Amino acid sequence: MRETPADAEIRSHQFLLRAGYIRQNTSGVYSYLPLGKKMLRKIETIVREEMDAIGGSEVLMPSLQQAELWKETGRWYTYGPELMRLHDRHEREFALGPTHEEVITSLLRDEIKSYKKLPLTLYQIQTKFRDEKRPRFGLLRGREFIMKDAYSFHDTKDSLDATYEDMKQAYTNIFTRLGLNFRAVIADSGAIGGKDTHEFMVLSDIGEDTIAYSDSSDYAANIEMAEVRMDYPAPEAGEQPIAKVETPGVRTISEISEFLGVQPADCVKTLVFMVDDEPVIVLCRGDHDVNDIKVKNALDAKVVELATPEQVKEATGTDIGSLGPVKLPTGLKVIADHAVRSMRNAVTGANEDGYHFKNVNPEKDFSADAYEDLRFIMEGDPSPDGVGTIKFARGIEVGHIFKLGTTYSEPMDGKFLDNNGREQPYIMGCYGIGVSRILAAMAEQFHDDNGLAWAKEMAPADIHLVPVNIKDDDQRQLADDLYHLLTSYRYDCLYDDRAERAGVKFADADLIGLPVRITVGKKAAEGIVEVKFRKTGETVEWKKEELTDKLRSFFG
Amino acid sequence: MRETPADAEIRSHQFLLRAGYIRQNTSGVYSYLPLGKKMLRKIETIVREEMDAIGGSEVLMPSLQQAELWKETGRWYTYGPELMRLHDRHEREFALGPTHEEVITSLLRDEIKSYKKLPLTLYQIQTKFRDEKRPRFGLLRGREFIMKDAYSFHDTKDSLDATYEDMKQAYTNIFTRLGLNFRAVIADSGAIGGKDTHEFMVLSDIGEDTIAYSDSSDYAANIEMAEVRMDYPAPEAGEQPIAKVETPGVRTISEISEFLGVQPADCVKTLVFMVDDEPVIVLCRGDHDVNDIKVKNALDAKVVELATPEQVKEATGTDIGSLGPVKLPTGLKVIADHAVRSMRNAVTGANEDGYHFKNVNPEKDFSADAYEDLRFIMEGDPSPDGVGTIKFARGIEVGHIFKLGTTYSEPMDGKFLDNNGREQPYIMGCYGIGVSRILAAMAEQFHDDNGLAWAKEMAPADIHLVPVNIKDDDQRQLADDLYHLLTSYRYDCLYDDRAERAGVKFADADLIGLPVRITVGKKAAEGIVEVKFRKTGETVEWKKEELTDKLRSFFG
């Protein structure tokens, strides 16, 4: 493909298209051409080896899933339009599987009735379907894609913990073998609960998630989940008496800090959240941002949303922009981030349009019902594991491991007899890897301005063999000889025997990105070829006789 | 699974279920458990190797196929309820791919615009969907199944012929390597036309097709397609004068031959077919049956159907059962099978209720517009290739290769420039293998009364290791040692370390059908095990020290 498709927003996707790895069939639906399919198979082989190594057994479950199963867990009703649905000739309803918790639980509940058969880990590599509202970035968010999904079944939480750790190590092995720059990131467990859940993120500027990681340890967390563990200094001495100041038209933290000539860190930010439909006041330092997931966890709530201006007015009698913690209506719950406690002579809204307080001091001028970790972590904060300083990066999620507990086994009646003869629901884990998404993430990591540039361990083929002029007998002969020689040494060779100009062939070789290009040109009669290494751009001239030895020392 | 599922009609399917290879999710939809998935992977590996060996390149196309493509060929309207259909969140229609002619033609037409890029063979191994009216026989006719489908693109018919022959050889290699007793069978090309099409049939009593094959050559054809090539003897001398006989209530060939004391071979069978809505008289010998596909081909017709009694009456003025070729209304086309020409003093209906003619002689008492090959071949007929005698067998179709010509490229505008710069539609071939169906066909061939009994080259694992009493320290220790030893020799071992009775374990081993069972029993302390060969039932005692040498001589 010579031209860049107009709707290909990111470089890696453009290169995968232009170099002929993939083609779009329709929005979010792709075909894998031979080079793309080769990459998929290599990725799958690594995934399979690592799953087998931790005792996983490969299965294959159907894409057609009876609606009845999804009704047992209620997800038929809650999954939304992402779930592709159809019916058969007898008007029976089916889901086109985006995931297989229901199917595997229904299979196992008929088979595994005793703790003696547990634990058990099953996995599959399979095409999945999810009707994304806005498919984008090519393979990164498609509607038909390839996943490895694994499910484990246990009689105890300890057993689940052990498999979870095995899985975490297996995933680490997989992404390491793929050559990816990734982090295992503490993630949000969403609606399902359970504390341990990790996302595996490939670091990339186009990632949709922000990762907070330590510059000196392997700590990493989705920014939504990163704990803030700081010993804020005790407040300095020198409390001054609270004073009201006129601040006409001043509403935001940046406006008030500029108006009064103070730092945002000297101001208290006052927000109202609707927590399970009740208003709650949340305070943080002016240079910080409140993390609603932490608010939700702190209050053990189901739904947390920022209050609308109307809800703020109703709860506090005050307009947004003038809110402050001093003299709030009684009965309103107030929680504050730890950082607020150590503030001294702070600035806050006065709950009165056009006025602020200065010299506000916590536990003197206002009090909070609780001080909790409520804010987003920031670059420069100490890492929560005590080692190093936090930095931010963007990440592409390529894997997710998850302790499900009994979320599926309870409603689906997936039960076994424990060693006391008591019926118990399976304790489950689930573990996903986006196989086709990995291809996109790899392309994002392994490219330069001229195209893809794969690592030698993980490329669709090893060598791009390019005779400059296929009509020159010496070149053709040497190229043919080399093709057979290299193939006999088990190198996977792409042989460009087209009658195209050398420039076109070189550009295509760069685009496709095999680790080594061997050019057969003017010195063919002397048995000399040019070898170019894609990653470094380095070129050398090697004689035919020394080629295999030297290639072996490169490929190892 | 201890009990045989009630709806599993055939032995192979029962064994696949009971031995834990597969599970039914819903009608025609199956999960592959670890043993079944291992078999699938072994089958796929062989298919892939043979496709690669003839220059096929593996791709992967989507299951979600835009309805627009199927409308280009008209199959959206003609495919019927077997095509599973769905729509996405934007109400766009999709087919769930049962086959990929439309998709691949749409992909290639944007890529391959010059004869220089042809020929090209692409294949994929993929889950397909077809909403069968009556799914049956487990994996043999399912609604979600795994296919290898390949498509080839050519600039000339010779090029297609060459790839077709390559494919035929590759298929022969595949089914031979799988150890299947199969035939490449000349098949009907159906509505698509083109003469060369072969089905690959595994011989099996449960097959739904009848194959006519030579007992002395590799000739084989679907019975619908088998030519009859016989030199019927010239009619004997001794024509007698035609005579009408009263035959009250006699209507069928068997009734008339019994009534008159003659052989069915001495009677002429007279049928009326509606050939593209025109009545045509078709004659054959009384012991033969007319093959309507041959009638259709002989008359180059689109639709051929046996006439209803009303249509017969209208065309001939006579009731069915009294029809004969003598003195038919003028203007009626009459064609006859070659065998009729050599009949002498035959019996026919008299076109008058209750009467027949005897001593009827062709070309004297009636004439045919043409003599053609119109009948079904019969067991005992000479093989059409001149070598041996025809026998019948039942077959399971596991592969089908097909010259499509321009059936898809014409309506879809899939065109290239030939070497004269003229635009031409691709000449195409398509080639399918039922991967999951092969698993069922293999189970059908490789089983006995006790369960599955795989060939050593093609089993889900090599060795079933069975300690008789897992609680006996000597047995457990030796079994553990052997497991590690055998695994280090790269044998794939199934280790039955359950605390079950020996009888249960042996029965399960027979059911699962691995080629070798190693039983660790009373002689464990002496380092002696019992080795049982599943196919022959032979058992021997081997010492631990000699085990790997002797296994090597068995497995080769």
Side-chain angles (χ1 to χ4, degrees):
Chain A
M1 200 182 269
R2 291 278 167 264
E3 284 150 42
T4 301
D7 60 348
E9 305 163 63
I10 55 172
R11 294 291 292 280
S12 59
H13 183 45
Q14 293 167 6
F15 288 141
L16 286 174
L17 287 166
R18 287 181 54 207
Y21 284 72
I22 59 171
R23 285 291 176 267
Q24 188 185 55
N25 291 82
T26 186
S27 171
V29 178
Y30 289 84
S31 286
Y32 302 88
L33 303 188
L35 289 169
K37 177 65 187 171
K38 277 192 171 193
M39 286 298 287
L40 285 184
R41 291 201 57 210
K42 292 197 171 191
I43 296 165
E44 289 171 9
T45 297
I46 288 175
V47 169
R48 196 170 267 133
E49 285 172 0
E50 297 293 337
M51 287 296 103
D52 290 345
I54 58 167
S57 294
E58 190 173 2
V59 298
L60 181 64
M61 291 179 278
S63 294
L64 289 173
Q65 307 186 351
Q66 312 98 279
E68 287 69 28
L69 293 177
W70 286 72
K71 289 174 180 172
E72 288 187 38
T73 61
R75 289 210 290 181
W76 183 258
Y77 312 105
T78 58
Y79 205 95
E82 278 75 24
L83 188 64
M84 302 198 91
R85 296 158 210 249
L86 71 162
H87 52 76
D88 71 6
R89 63 197 298 154
H90 308 294
E91 297 297 326
R92 283 188 289 252
E93 290 174 306
F94 286 86
L96 214 45
T99 181
H100 279 69
E101 284 84 3
E102 281 84 356
V103 173
I104 201 159
T105 305
S106 80
L107 273 176
L108 271 278
R109 68 185 171 191
D110 294 330
E111 307 280 335
I112 306 293
K113 313 223 186 229
S114 161
Y115 73 97
K116 290 181 189 168
K117 296 194 174 177
L118 298 172
L120 182 66
T121 300
L122 300 172
Y123 74 94
Q124 60 177 353
I125 297 174
Q126 192 196 39
T127 296
K128 307 283 187 194
F129 303 87
R130 189 159 55 209
D131 199 358
E132 293 282 352
K133 189 168 185 183
R134 208 164 78 84
R136 65 186 295 217
F137 291 167
L139 303 181
L140 281 181
R141 198 191 287 172
R143 302 198 289 171
E144 175 170 346
F145 50 96
I146 303 166
M147 290 276 294
K148 186 284 299 177
D149 47 328
Y151 306 89
S152 69
F153 295 80
H154 309 270
D155 59 342
T156 66
K157 284 193 177 168
D158 286 349
S159 169
L160 171 61
D161 289 346
T163 295
Y164 187 88
E165 287 307 313
D166 285 349
M167 230 9 123
K168 199 170 161 198
Q169 185 59 51
Y171 275 43
T172 300
N173 296 348
I174 289 166
F175 299 119
T176 303
R177 289 177 65 186
L178 291 170
L180 288 166
N181 181 16
F182 74 98
R183 291 271 175 160
V185 169
I186 300 162
D188 180 24
S189 58
I192 290 171
K195 227 180 171 182
D196 273 339
T197 169
H198 284 84
E199 291 165 352
F200 288 77
M201 293 276 191
V202 171
L203 305 187
S204 164
D205 290 342
I206 62 153
E208 301 185 48
D209 295 89
T210 299
I211 304 160
Y213 68 95
S214 164
D215 63 0
S216 314
S217 77
D218 65 357
Y219 176 85
N222 193 306
I223 191 175
E224 296 178 341
M225 291 302 293
E227 281 181 79
V228 175
R229 286 205 189 168
M230 282 183 71
D231 295 322
Y232 296 102
E236 291 160 30
E239 284 179 13
Q240 303 202 13
I242 188 167
K244 195 190 269 189
V245 289
E246 201 174 347
T247 53
V250 167
R251 302 179 66 81
T252 66
I253 294 289
S254 67
E255 284 165 3
I256 187 66
S257 53
E258 188 175 330
F259 185 86
L260 293 180
V262 298
Q263 295 299 314
D266 297 324
C267 305
V268 175
K269 194 184 282 183
T270 308
L271 300 171
V272 183
F273 281 89
M274 299 306 291
V275 177
D276 294 339
D277 297 329
E278 290 294 320
V280 172
I281 305 291
V282 180
L283 309 177
C284 73
R285 221 166 66 183
D287 58 333
H288 291 159
D289 285 308
V290 170
N291 178 342
D292 53 351
I293 290 178
K294 290 184 175 180
V295 173
K296 185 171 150 228
N297 291 340
L299 298 173
D300 201 13
K302 289 209 177 79
V303 182
V304 166
E305 284 174 320
L306 203 59
T308 62
E310 294 72 30
Q311 288 170 325
V312 171
K313 184 85 180 182
E314 190 187 342
T316 65
T318 302
D319 288 324
I320 283 182
S322 303
L323 269 180
V326 181
K327 292 180 188 156
L328 281 165
T330 51
L332 257 185
K333 183 165 197 140
V334 178
I335 59 174
D337 182 67
H338 291 303
V340 173
R341 185 171 232 156
S342 66
M343 294 177 81
R344 173 63 71 232
N345 299 324
V347 172
T348 79
N351 294 326
E352 189 181 345
D353 259 7
Y355 292 92
H356 279 74
F357 286 124
K358 58 181 191 178
N359 301 331
V360 174
N361 289 291
E363 302 307 309
K364 171 170 164 279
D365 301 311
F366 68 92
S367 68
D369 296 305
Y371 289 90
E372 304 266 6
D373 171 20
L374 298 178
R375 71 167 171 97
F376 280 105
I377 204 163
M378 286 168 56
E379 283 195 292
D381 281 343
S383 176
D385 68 349
V387 184
T389 299
I390 285 297
K391 295 202 164 186
F392 283 178
R394 307 288 287 174
I396 300 167
E397 184 189 336
V398 287
H400 200 161
I401 60 177
F402 217 99
K403 293 185 185 174
L404 293 174
T406 59
T407 312
Y408 292 88
S409 51
E410 294 243 39
M412 295 190 71
D413 214 23
K415 290 181 179 164
F416 66 98
L417 293 179
D418 69 14
N419 58 5
N420 296 314
R422 276 188 308 234
E423 216 173 41
Q424 305 277 5
Y426 307 130
I427 297 170
M428 291 169 57
C430 75
Y431 318 91
I433 284 183
V435 172
S436 45
R437 183 180 271 196
I438 284 175
L439 175 53
M442 290 183 72
E444 189 57 30
Q445 182 171 321
F446 295 101
H447 77 258
D448 60 20
D449 287 345
N450 299 319
L452 299 161
W454 303 112
K456 61 180 192 269
E457 297 81 7
M458 197 64 204
D462 304 310
I463 294 166
H464 208 123
L465 182 62
V466 183
V468 170
N469 179 2
I470 195 71
K471 289 176 183 159
D472 177 294
D473 286 343
D474 287 333
Q475 292 185 25
R476 167 112 227 175
Q477 186 61 50
L478 181 56
D480 283 355
D481 289 352
L482 288 181
Y483 181 76
H484 291 111
L485 177 73
L486 296 168
T487 305
S488 75
Y489 275 76
R490 299 191 166 274
Y491 290 111
D492 196 351
C493 255
L494 201 62
Y495 187 3
D496 187 349
D497 59 358
R498 295 176 299 169
E500 291 278 4
R501 284 185 300 111
V504 170
K505 292 170 147 190
F506 292 160
D508 286 349
D510 280 352
L511 206 51
I512 288 169
L514 302 191
V516 167
R517 185 185 88 200
I518 296 181
T519 311
V520 180
K522 284 182 192 153
K523 294 187 182 171
E526 303 161 55
I528 293 174
V529 297
E530 186 197 80
V531 177
K532 184 180 175 190
F533 300 94
R534 176 67 182 86
K535 282 230 142 185
T536 61
E538 184 199 355
T539 58
V540 290
E541 288 196 340
W542 286 349
K543 288 188 199 147
K544 183 188 166 186
E545 295 73 38
E546 61 186 5
L547 196 56
T548 55
D549 280 350
K550 293 202 165 180
L551 284 172
R552 189 179 307 123
S553 71
F554 172 74
F555 279 105
Chain B
M1 198 183 272
R2 291 277 168 262
E3 284 149 42
T4 301
D7 60 347
E9 306 163 63
I10 54 172
R11 294 292 293 281
S12 59
H13 184 43
Q14 293 166 6
F15 288 140
L16 286 174
L17 288 165
R18 287 181 53 209
Y21 284 73
I22 59 172
R23 284 292 176 267
Q24 188 185 56
N25 291 81
T26 185
S27 172
V29 178
Y30 289 84
S31 286
Y32 302 87
L33 304 189
L35 290 169
K37 177 65 186 171
K38 276 192 173 194
M39 286 297 289
L40 285 184
R41 290 199 58 209
K42 291 197 171 191
I43 296 165
E44 288 171 9
T45 298
I46 288 175
V47 169
R48 197 169 266 135
E49 286 172 0
E50 297 293 338
M51 287 296 103
D52 291 346
I54 59 167
S57 295
E58 190 173 3
V59 298
L60 180 64
M61 291 179 278
S63 293
L64 289 173
Q65 306 186 353
Q66 312 98 281
E68 288 69 28
L69 294 178
W70 286 72
K71 289 174 181 172
E72 288 186 39
T73 62
R75 290 210 290 182
W76 183 257
Y77 312 105
T78 59
Y79 206 95
E82 277 75 24
L83 188 65
M84 302 198 91
R85 296 158 210 250
L86 70 162
H87 52 75
D88 70 6
R89 65 197 296 155
H90 307 294
E91 298 295 327
R92 281 187 290 251
E93 290 174 308
F94 287 86
L96 214 45
T99 180
H100 280 69
E101 285 84 2
E102 281 84 355
V103 173
I104 200 159
T105 305
S106 80
L107 274 176
L108 271 279
R109 69 184 170 190
D110 294 332
E111 306 282 334
I112 307 292
K113 312 219 186 229
S114 161
Y115 73 98
K116 290 181 188 168
K117 295 194 173 175
L118 298 173
L120 182 66
T121 300
L122 300 172
Y123 75 94
Q124 59 177 353
I125 297 174
Q126 191 196 37
T127 296
K128 307 284 187 191
F129 303 87
R130 191 160 54 210
D131 200 357
E132 292 284 351
K133 189 168 186 184
R134 208 163 79 83
R136 64 186 296 218
F137 291 169
L139 303 181
L140 280 181
R141 199 190 288 172
R143 302 199 288 172
E144 176 170 346
F145 50 96
I146 303 166
M147 289 277 294
K148 186 283 299 176
D149 47 328
Y151 306 88
S152 69
F153 295 80
H154 308 270
D155 59 342
T156 66
K157 284 190 177 171
D158 286 348
S159 169
L160 171 59
D161 290 345
T163 295
Y164 187 89
E165 286 307 314
D166 285 349
M167 225 18 115
K168 200 172 160 198
Q169 185 59 51
Y171 275 43
T172 301
N173 296 348
I174 289 165
F175 298 119
T176 303
R177 289 177 66 186
L178 291 170
L180 288 166
N181 181 16
F182 73 99
R183 292 268 177 163
V185 169
I186 301 162
D188 180 24
S189 58
I192 289 171
K195 227 178 170 183
D196 273 341
T197 169
H198 285 83
E199 290 165 354
F200 288 77
M201 293 276 191
V202 171
L203 304 188
S204 164
D205 290 342
I206 63 153
E208 301 184 48
D209 294 87
T210 300
I211 303 161
Y213 68 96
S214 164
D215 62 1
S216 315
S217 76
D218 66 355
Y219 176 85
N222 193 306
I223 191 175
E224 297 179 341
M225 291 301 293
E227 281 182 79
V228 175
R229 285 204 190 167
M230 281 182 73
D231 294 322
Y232 296 102
E236 291 161 29
E239 284 180 13
Q240 303 202 12
I242 188 166
K244 195 190 267 189
V245 290
E246 203 173 345
T247 54
V250 168
R251 302 179 65 80
T252 67
I253 294 288
S254 66
E255 283 165 4
I256 187 66
S257 53
E258 189 175 329
F259 186 85
L260 294 179
V262 299
Q263 295 299 314
D266 296 325
C267 306
V268 174
K269 194 184 282 181
T270 307
L271 302 171
V272 184
F273 280 89
M274 300 306 291
V275 177
D276 294 340
D277 296 329
E278 289 295 318
V280 173
I281 305 289
V282 180
L283 310 178
C284 73
R285 223 166 65 184
D287 58 333
H288 291 158
D289 285 308
V290 169
N291 177 342
D292 54 350
I293 290 178
K294 289 185 175 180
V295 173
K296 185 170 150 227
N297 290 341
L299 298 173
D300 202 15
K302 289 209 176 79
V303 182
V304 166
E305 284 175 318
L306 202 59
T308 62
E310 294 72 32
Q311 287 170 325
V312 170
K313 184 88 180 177
E314 190 187 342
T316 65
T318 303
D319 288 325
I320 282 182
S322 305
L323 269 181
V326 180
K327 291 182 189 153
L328 281 164
T330 52
L332 257 185
K333 183 163 197 142
V334 178
I335 58 173
D337 182 65
H338 291 302
V340 172
R341 186 170 232 158
S342 66
M343 293 177 81
R344 174 63 72 232
N345 300 325
V347 171
T348 79
N351 293 328
E352 189 180 343
D353 258 9
Y355 292 92
H356 279 73
F357 287 124
K358 60 181 190 176
N359 301 331
V360 174
N361 288 292
E363 301 308 308
K364 173 170 161 279
D365 301 312
F366 70 90
S367 68
D369 296 305
Y371 289 90
E372 304 265 7
D373 171 21
L374 298 178
R375 72 167 172 96
F376 279 107
I377 205 163
M378 287 168 57
E379 282 196 291
D381 281 342
S383 176
D385 69 348
V387 183
T389 299
I390 286 298
K391 294 201 164 186
F392 283 178
R394 310 286 288 173
I396 299 169
E397 185 190 336
V398 288
H400 200 160
I401 60 178
F402 218 100
K403 292 185 184 173
L404 293 174
T406 59
T407 314
Y408 292 89
S409 51
E410 294 242 40
M412 295 190 70
D413 216 23
K415 290 183 180 164
F416 66 98
L417 293 179
D418 69 13
N419 58 5
N420 296 314
R422 277 187 308 234
E423 216 171 42
Q424 306 277 4
Y426 308 129
I427 298 170
M428 291 170 57
C430 75
Y431 318 91
I433 284 183
V435 172
S436 44
R437 181 181 273 197
I438 283 174
L439 174 53
M442 289 183 72
E444 189 56 30
Q445 181 172 320
F446 295 101
H447 76 259
D448 60 20
D449 287 346
N450 299 319
L452 299 161
W454 303 111
K456 60 179 193 268
E457 296 81 6
M458 197 65 204
D462 304 310
I463 295 166
H464 208 123
L465 183 61
V466 183
V468 170
N469 179 2
I470 196 70
K471 289 173 183 160
D472 178 293
D473 286 344
D474 287 332
Q475 292 185 25
R476 167 112 227 175
Q477 186 60 51
L478 181 57
D480 283 356
D481 289 352
L482 288 181
Y483 181 77
H484 291 111
L485 177 74
L486 295 169
T487 305
S488 75
Y489 274 78
R490 300 191 165 275
Y491 290 110
D492 196 351
C493 256
L494 201 61
Y495 187 2
D496 187 350
D497 58 358
R498 295 176 299 167
E500 291 279 4
R501 284 185 300 111
V504 170
K505 291 171 152 190
F506 292 160
D508 286 349
D510 280 351
L511 205 51
I512 288 170
L514 303 190
V516 167
R517 185 186 88 199
I518 296 180
T519 311
V520 180
K522 284 182 193 153
K523 296 188 181 169
E526 303 162 56
I528 292 174
V529 297
E530 185 197 81
V531 176
K532 183 179 175 192
F533 300 94
R534 177 68 183 84
K535 282 230 141 186
T536 60
E538 184 199 355
T539 58
V540 289
E541 289 196 338
W542 287 349
K543 288 188 199 147
K544 183 189 167 187
E545 295 73 38
E546 61 186 3
L547 196 57
T548 55
D549 281 348
K550 292 202 165 181
L551 284 172
R552 190 180 305 122
S553 71
F554 173 73
F555 280 104

